[in-house]
Amino acid sequence: MEPEETLDPTDWESLRILGHKMLDDMLNHLRDIRKQPVWQPIPMKVKSKFKVPLPKEGQDRETVYREFIENILPYPLGNIHPRFWGWVVGTGTPFGMLAEMLAATMNPNVVGGEHIANYVEEQVIEWTKEMLGYDPNASGIIVSGASMANFIGLTVARNTKTDYNVIEEGMRAGKKDLLIYGSTEIHGSIDKAIQLLGLGTKSLRKIPVNENFEIQIEKLRESIEADIQSGHKPICIIGNAGTVNTGAIDDLNLLAEIAKEYNLWFHLDAAFGIWCKLSTISHKLVEGIEKADSIAFDYHKWMYINYEAGCVLVKNKEEHLNAFNFSADYATHHERGTSSGDIWYDYYGIQLSRGFRALKIWMSIKENGSEKYGRLIEQNIQQARYLTNLIGIEQKLEILAPTKTNIVNFRYNNGTTDLDTLNKLNKEILFQLQEKGIAVPSNTMLNGNFAIRVAIVNHRSRKEDFELLINSILDIAQSLEKKVII
Amino acid sequence: MEPEETLDPTDWESLRILGHKMLDDMLNHLRDIRKQPVWQPIPMKVKSKFKVPLPKEGQDRETVYREFIENILPYPLGNIHPRFWGWVVGTGTPFGMLAEMLAATMNPNVVGGEHIANYVEEQVIEWTKEMLGYDPNASGIIVSGASMANFIGLTVARNTKTDYNVIEEGMRAGKKDLLIYGSTEIHGSIDKAIQLLGLGTKSLRKIPVNENFEIQIEKLRESIEADIQSGHKPICIIGNAGTVNTGAIDDLNLLAEIAKEYNLWFHLDAAFGIWCKLSTISHKLVEGIEKADSIAFDYHKWMYINYEAGCVLVKNKEEHLNAFNFSADYATHHERGTSSGDIWYDYYGIQLSRGFRALKIWMSIKENGSEKYGRLIEQNIQQARYLTNLIGIEQKLEILAPTKTNIVNFRYNNGTTDLDTLNKLNKEILFQLQEKGIAVPSNTMLNGNFAIRVAIVNHRSRKEDFELLINSILDIAQSLEKKVII
């Protein structure tokens, strides 16, 4: 055999020099992010750098890094910038970035067994239950995000609420259609989960919302009653704590009551809204979360943790285990050695190999303490109200949905009576805000109206940023109107 | 409103000092990893540090890091060590660790849209198809690992091979049981995927293997024929390219033929075995991979990429899209701005929010070039043969399965006729190897025999490490036998 090769550097010192340069560059980048454009278009020439043939030979690491600096770093999504408020995308933190470096060094497979990463994750789950006031006996697992968390919650719901062995027998063995209920404002990941689970999207009853975009409880009850009458089997109600469109929060206490009355699983999609719980002021908005049988949410949204970090909690640990449990000869658990230990995360979700996502959460919670998160979340809510007030003052700006939490939907309205013209005008304003690198809101459609949508899950935003947003919108609108006149 | 708080440091310079210290520590740790024990038990006192109440107040970052150094870093799984060969767990690299730091700084949500991370991922997928000789028109997505990749592949299989709209109608609308075929050596994630998809694990036909642990083709054909006769609907064959137990590779060309003959989806679970393709010598072992309709595999195993990084490729992009496609008002794609761009990864899998996993793969492939990976993979295969030869030389060691790729199954056998005693003896040897910090193999059961199992996906291992393993096993066995005599 030839002398062995390795992927370690032959010269550790030159890698060390490069590493320290990278770290300095990254810290400077984060420190000075406010001076950068939020977003900018990617030139074709840059895109072409990512349409090249496979490199057969290696390059020196300095060159690879230079390409990163030239062609990657300048063309971000923008979510680490103080004026990014698109979709619901968290900011991350510098200490979280350093934690990711530590996690990537240890590089464990956090599937379970006797090594420390599993205990760190367990600690994070315990702290999370404590933060949310959720059942201390609940089980939980850190996942890629709320889409996966919703999928796991609904899996446990399906497998628990069927009256036969659905794991073995499959959906075709069931005698009735299993039905799931949520509002029309429900997140798309629910539709996805329901089709994947073999329930079929027609099993999802989308109940109308009221003027606050909250589920209409009476309509929900009527729908359940009608379905039972028709011989179907309702199994689950999904509540929203923070809809994506408007940040609306359903009446969770009432949903819990109905779920109890009809013996249904109560799943809560609380991707970002859940964290209102940490605010000494706004925690009342999410009263009732502790009644859910399962909750899906993210740390990488409103806990500002670096991507990826979501979580699902399931109140009844046995039901969670029963929904996923599997075993194999090559994965035997032993009483001693590396494969001892009581924690096996493959029993709680889809993944077998799993990264050390827990470390950045553990280090961040220790860095900041839960109360600071509460203050920052409240700060974002107050910023949403401040922005709502700024909009209220301006005659040509119009709020399109009630601002309940951290999401503001509005538009420029110069009195044009033609809806299509108005929608196009606001779309153009949105494009220009982004293209000029000023700010990145996103948009949604509310009752046919194109809404500029600001979702604030950003610990870098300041009051002045929202003032700049409003002034820029008015400027852009004015220059657009001038153009039309000319 | 009070002056705003932020999670950024007030004093960037002290964070910078800490960051550089962390980086030095991490590089030293990786450089000197060979001097560390592979694994060590976690003292109760250390475990108790992770059973403490939620911190309400923050700590200074230096203290948090000190806790990491004292209580986390010393108690790893062990997979970054040259003598870790348990399960199938990759090593990661120092440059990959630095890439993770860069990715965590940019911290994008790689769901799609017009920002560079999507183009980097697309480049990685193109390079991957090129490395594997797979259809250049195939679609692909980077996922958490092969479990998720298998799940996605089987989702596309199910949704494509049903003759009605299963997304909308669900599994109950089907007229026949849908059946899936694989060998008894199939990975547990397949069982999991099949139950999640509502097919029921009874739909999975586990076909016996031959003495090389490869699927018996004639038995497969008989089973399919019998099922069709019984009125069932076979939809999919799953091939193995590298089973977890022994590294066996099914006859992929024959499986492809049968799939074609019966109009079945051909899914390939090639979590690590796929990378044999890169070796100029061993690529023949995986002949036929290009015929699969979908392939699931990992970069974080035998491409030595830091966790998490898996991939699924689907030959027919339309079928992939049709299986997942969904839309929502808040996620409209536009012709300009941040939400323009042609790449939307939420159309190809479960996740909506997604991290920048692609960067470490892109940087690593550029760092090393594909040919070096080929040499390292071949090196691991040669090391498995070297170990097999060492075992062959020793009278008291016994090979328990043919060494086809990178996995060696063997045991110490002193001629004891009692199987139970022999199994217990080998288990004790395994425990002591781990507890003494010498090496971490794992184990499996092969025809009732407890096998010490060495799976080599480690770029740090050297010939001398396998010599040390053999000598240590003989030493431990000798001292155990002495004890019994006394």
Side-chain angles (χ1 to χ4, degrees):
Chain A
M1 204 184 302
E2 301 282 304
E4 278 95 340
E5 280 193 280
T6 170
L7 295 176
D8 283 335
T10 40
D11 175 7
W12 283 89
E13 288 317 302
S14 74
L15 183 70
R16 190 186 301 268
I17 290 165
L18 177 62
H20 284 295
K21 171 159 177 42
M22 286 176 171
L23 179 57
D24 270 329
D25 291 348
M26 293 305 103
L27 287 171
N28 292 343
H29 183 73
L30 290 174
R31 186 194 58 196
D32 301 336
I33 190 68
R34 180 172 281 279
K35 298 173 196 161
Q36 300 285 325
V38 184
W39 178 86
Q40 60 177 327
I42 312 170
M44 283 310 293
K45 203 179 142 190
V46 170
K47 289 186 192 176
S48 71
K49 306 279 185 190
F50 300 95
K51 285 172 179 145
V52 302
L54 172 70
K56 302 273 197 300
E57 305 272 331
Q59 277 176 293
D60 64 279
R61 299 183 182 94
E62 288 74 13
T63 308
V64 178
Y65 179 58
R66 206 174 313 125
E67 283 197 50
F68 168 83
I69 288 293
E70 282 170 19
N71 298 323
I72 295 179
L73 191 62
Y75 306 102
L77 174 59
N79 54 305
I80 63 176
H81 192 283
R83 285 190 300 279
F84 185 98
W85 307 299
W87 305 278
V88 186
V89 187
T91 328
T93 70
F95 199 57
M97 175 269 276
L98 293 173
E100 282 285 80
M101 177 180 85
L102 304 180
T105 301
M106 292 190 73
N107 194 39
N109 179 342
V110 194
V111 58
E114 188 65 355
H115 60 105
I116 203 70
N118 299 295
Y119 293 90
V120 176
E121 180 155 343
E122 206 63 3
Q123 176 72 93
V124 168
I125 297 291
E126 291 304 313
W127 285 350
T128 301
K129 290 186 285 184
E130 207 177 329
M131 284 192 278
L132 300 178
Y134 200 60
D135 192 327
N137 296 314
S139 54
I141 180 170
I142 297 175
V143 295
S144 54
S147 288
M148 178 52 69
N150 276 327
F151 180 77
I152 292 175
L154 292 178
T155 299
V156 186
R158 184 198 69 175
N159 290 10
T160 304
K161 289 298 181 184
T162 41
D163 47 12
Y164 65 98
N165 188 341
V166 66
I167 291 184
E168 237 176 85
E169 302 290 324
M171 289 297 298
R172 284 194 70 244
K175 291 189 181 61
K176 293 181 174 187
D177 276 334
L178 309 180
L179 300 182
I180 293 182
Y181 301 78
S183 84
T184 49
E185 293 294 298
I186 220 158
H187 189 257
S189 62
I190 301 288
D191 296 78
K192 222 187 233 181
I194 283 173
Q195 76 100 335
L196 292 170
L197 289 168
L199 291 156
T201 50
K202 66 160 196 188
S203 307
L204 177 57
R205 298 280 190 254
K206 294 195 179 176
I207 310 296
V209 291
N210 62 23
E211 69 284 3
N212 291 324
F213 297 92
E214 301 154 3
I215 192 166
Q216 293 190 34
I217 298 288
E218 271 318 302
K219 298 260 187 208
L220 168 65
R221 186 185 291 277
E222 283 165 23
S223 181
I224 294 173
E225 287 285 353
D227 285 329
I228 293 172
Q229 290 297 321
S230 312
H232 301 308
K233 185 177 163 64
I235 59 165
C236 176
I237 296 176
I238 298 167
N240 282 307
T243 61
V244 192
N245 273 334
T246 71
I249 297 170
D250 292 332
D251 188 326
L252 306 179
N253 284 313
L254 276 181
L255 289 184
E257 261 178 45
I258 295 184
K260 200 172 169 191
E261 184 181 337
Y262 292 98
N263 189 27
L264 309 180
W265 189 272
F266 178 26
H267 175 75
L268 188 59
D269 180 0
F272 57 97
I274 195 91
W275 298 112
C276 289
K277 182 74 183 178
L278 290 182
S279 159
T280 51
I281 298 167
S282 299
H283 65 95
K284 287 177 186 167
L285 291 171
V286 291
E287 261 177 19
I289 52 172
E290 70 285 355
K291 295 176 182 167
D293 294 304
S294 52
I295 315 182
F297 55 94
D298 284 311
Y299 302 97
H300 60 216
K301 290 190 173 93
W302 219 358
M303 275 276 285
Y304 319 100
I305 298 289
N306 301 59
Y307 280 88
E308 303 168 345
C311 181
V312 61
L313 295 175
V314 177
K315 190 171 274 180
N316 185 320
K317 182 180 171 172
E318 290 307 312
E319 289 170 353
H320 194 173
L321 275 172
N322 289 339
F324 282 97
N325 206 343
F326 95 108
S327 63
D329 285 341
Y330 50 80
T332 316
H333 305 169
H334 293 306
E335 60 279 19
R336 281 165 50 201
T338 317
S339 48
S340 59
D342 295 329
I343 310 166
W344 292 90
Y345 285 108
D346 53 329
Y347 284 15
Y348 295 98
I350 293 192
Q351 288 188 253
L352 189 60
S353 295
R354 299 171 72 245
F356 196 4
R357 295 192 187 104
L359 184 63
K360 58 192 167 192
I361 310 173
W362 183 81
M363 289 181 69
S364 297
I365 291 176
K366 285 175 74 73
E367 176 197 23
N368 301 306
S370 62
E371 290 177 355
K372 182 161 186 181
Y373 287 107
R375 292 197 302 275
L376 281 160
I377 286 152
E378 187 58 35
Q379 176 171 296
N380 285 161
I381 293 173
Q382 294 301 328
Q383 286 167 337
R385 290 191 192 150
Y386 181 72
L387 174 61
T388 305
N389 289 339
L390 291 180
I391 292 163
I393 293 164
E394 295 295 335
Q395 219 180 339
K396 289 189 171 173
L397 296 180
E398 179 187 12
I399 282 286
L400 289 177
T403 300
K404 287 286 176 161
T405 49
N406 59 330
I407 298 181
V408 183
N409 280 287
F410 66 107
R411 69 175 164 193
Y412 180 82
N413 190 342
N414 54 7
T416 314
T417 48
D418 181 50
L419 181 60
D420 192 48
T421 308
L422 202 56
N423 284 352
K424 277 188 185 146
L425 174 62
N426 278 279
K427 192 170 163 182
E428 181 63 32
I429 291 171
L430 180 69
F431 285 162
Q432 291 205 15
L433 280 172
Q434 296 177 352
E435 287 168 346
K436 290 170 193 280
I438 298 168
V440 176
S442 58
N443 80 286
T444 194
M445 297 300 292
L446 295 174
N447 306 316
N449 299 304
F450 185 100
I452 297 175
R453 182 180 159 285
V454 169
I456 314 169
V457 288
N458 191 323
H459 66 83
R460 295 197 171 106
S461 302
R462 300 178 194 153
K463 270 204 295 191
E464 67 201 57
D465 293 311
F466 300 99
E467 293 159 6
L468 180 64
L469 172 71
I470 293 300
N471 292 334
S472 304
I473 288 175
L474 295 175
D475 284 352
I476 292 169
Q478 201 177 18
S479 87
L480 283 170
E481 284 169 340
K482 262 190 203 151
K483 261 191 206 161
V484 173
I485 290 163
I486 294 160
Chain B
M1 203 185 303
E2 301 282 304
E4 278 95 340
E5 281 194 279
T6 169
L7 296 176
D8 283 335
T10 40
D11 175 7
W12 282 90
E13 287 318 302
S14 75
L15 183 71
R16 191 186 301 268
I17 291 166
L18 177 63
H20 285 294
K21 171 158 177 43
M22 286 176 170
L23 179 57
D24 270 329
D25 290 348
M26 292 305 103
L27 287 171
N28 292 344
H29 184 73
L30 290 173
R31 185 194 59 196
D32 302 335
I33 190 69
R34 180 172 281 280
K35 299 174 196 161
Q36 300 285 325
V38 184
W39 178 85
Q40 60 177 327
I42 313 170
M44 283 310 293
K45 203 180 142 191
V46 170
K47 288 186 193 177
S48 71
K49 306 278 186 189
F50 301 94
K51 286 172 179 145
V52 301
L54 172 70
K56 302 272 195 302
E57 306 271 331
Q59 277 177 293
D60 64 279
R61 298 182 182 94
E62 288 74 12
T63 308
V64 178
Y65 179 57
R66 206 174 313 125
E67 284 196 49
F68 168 82
I69 288 293
E70 281 169 20
N71 299 322
I72 295 180
L73 192 63
Y75 306 103
L77 174 59
N79 54 305
I80 63 176
H81 192 283
R83 285 190 300 279
F84 185 98
W85 307 300
W87 305 278
V88 186
V89 187
T91 328
T93 70
F95 199 57
M97 174 270 276
L98 294 173
E100 282 285 82
M101 176 180 86
L102 305 180
T105 302
M106 292 189 72
N107 193 39
N109 179 342
V110 194
V111 57
E114 188 65 354
H115 59 105
I116 203 70
N118 299 295
Y119 293 90
V120 176
E121 180 155 344
E122 205 63 4
Q123 175 72 93
V124 168
I125 296 292
E126 291 304 313
W127 285 350
T128 301
K129 290 186 284 184
E130 207 177 328
M131 284 192 279
L132 300 178
Y134 199 61
D135 192 327
N137 297 314
S139 53
I141 181 171
I142 297 175
V143 295
S144 55
S147 288
M148 178 51 70
N150 276 327
F151 180 77
I152 291 175
L154 292 178
T155 300
V156 186
R158 184 198 69 175
N159 290 10
T160 304
K161 289 298 181 183
T162 41
D163 47 13
Y164 65 99
N165 188 342
V166 65
I167 291 184
E168 238 177 83
E169 302 289 324
M171 289 296 298
R172 284 195 70 245
K175 291 189 181 60
K176 293 180 173 188
D177 277 334
L178 309 179
L179 300 182
I180 293 181
Y181 301 79
S183 84
T184 49
E185 293 293 299
I186 220 158
H187 190 257
S189 61
I190 302 288
D191 297 79
K192 221 187 234 182
I194 283 173
Q195 77 100 336
L196 292 171
L197 289 168
L199 291 155
T201 50
K202 67 162 196 187
S203 308
L204 177 59
R205 297 280 190 256
K206 294 195 180 177
I207 310 297
V209 290
N210 62 24
E211 69 284 3
N212 291 324
F213 297 92
E214 301 154 3
I215 191 166
Q216 293 191 35
I217 299 287
E218 271 319 302
K219 298 260 187 208
L220 169 64
R221 187 185 291 277
E222 283 165 23
S223 181
I224 294 173
E225 287 286 353
D227 285 328
I228 293 172
Q229 290 296 321
S230 312
H232 301 309
K233 185 177 163 63
I235 59 165
C236 177
I237 296 175
I238 298 167
N240 282 307
T243 61
V244 192
N245 273 335
T246 71
I249 298 170
D250 292 331
D251 188 325
L252 306 179
N253 284 313
L254 276 181
L255 289 184
E257 262 178 44
I258 295 183
K260 200 173 169 191
E261 185 181 337
Y262 292 97
N263 190 27
L264 309 180
W265 189 272
F266 178 25
H267 175 75
L268 188 58
D269 180 0
F272 57 97
I274 194 91
W275 297 112
C276 289
K277 183 74 184 178
L278 290 182
S279 159
T280 51
I281 298 167
S282 298
H283 65 94
K284 288 177 185 166
L285 291 171
V286 291
E287 261 178 19
I289 52 172
E290 71 285 355
K291 295 176 181 166
D293 294 303
S294 52
I295 315 182
F297 56 94
D298 284 311
Y299 303 97
H300 60 216
K301 290 191 172 93
W302 219 359
M303 274 277 284
Y304 319 100
I305 298 289
N306 301 59
Y307 280 88
E308 303 169 345
C311 181
V312 60
L313 296 175
V314 177
K315 190 171 275 180
N316 185 320
K317 183 181 170 171
E318 291 307 311
E319 289 170 353
H320 194 174
L321 275 172
N322 289 339
F324 282 97
N325 206 342
F326 95 108
S327 63
D329 285 341
Y330 50 80
T332 316
H333 306 169
H334 293 306
E335 61 279 19
R336 281 165 50 201
T338 317
S339 49
S340 59
D342 295 330
I343 310 166
W344 292 90
Y345 285 109
D346 53 329
Y347 284 16
Y348 295 98
I350 293 191
Q351 288 187 253
L352 189 60
S353 295
R354 299 171 71 245
F356 196 4
R357 295 192 187 106
L359 184 63
K360 58 193 166 193
I361 311 173
W362 184 82
M363 289 181 68
S364 297
I365 291 176
K366 285 175 74 73
E367 176 197 23
N368 301 306
S370 62
E371 290 177 356
K372 182 162 186 180
Y373 287 107
R375 293 197 301 275
L376 280 160
I377 286 151
E378 187 57 35
Q379 176 171 297
N380 285 161
I381 293 172
Q382 294 301 328
Q383 286 167 338
R385 289 190 193 152
Y386 181 72
L387 174 62
T388 305
N389 289 339
L390 291 180
I391 292 163
I393 293 164
E394 295 295 335
Q395 221 181 336
K396 289 189 171 172
L397 295 179
E398 180 187 12
I399 283 285
L400 289 177
T403 300
K404 288 285 176 162
T405 48
N406 59 329
I407 297 181
V408 183
N409 280 288
F410 66 107
R411 69 176 164 193
Y412 180 82
N413 189 342
N414 54 7
T416 313
T417 47
D418 181 50
L419 181 60
D420 192 47
T421 308
L422 202 56
N423 284 352
K424 277 188 185 146
L425 175 62
N426 278 280
K427 191 169 163 183
E428 181 62 31
I429 291 171
L430 180 69
F431 285 162
Q432 291 205 16
L433 280 172
Q434 296 177 352
E435 287 168 346
K436 289 171 193 281
I438 298 168
V440 175
S442 58
N443 80 286
T444 194
M445 298 300 291
L446 295 174
N447 306 316
N449 300 303
F450 185 100
I452 297 174
R453 182 180 159 286
V454 169
I456 314 170
V457 288
N458 191 324
H459 65 83
R460 295 197 171 106
S461 302
R462 299 178 193 154
K463 269 205 296 191
E464 67 201 57
D465 292 311
F466 300 99
E467 293 159 7
L468 180 64
L469 172 71
I470 293 300
N471 292 335
S472 304
I473 288 175
L474 294 174
D475 284 352
I476 292 169
Q478 202 177 17
S479 87
L480 283 170
E481 284 169 341
K482 263 190 202 150
K483 261 191 206 163
V484 173
I485 290 162
I486 293 160

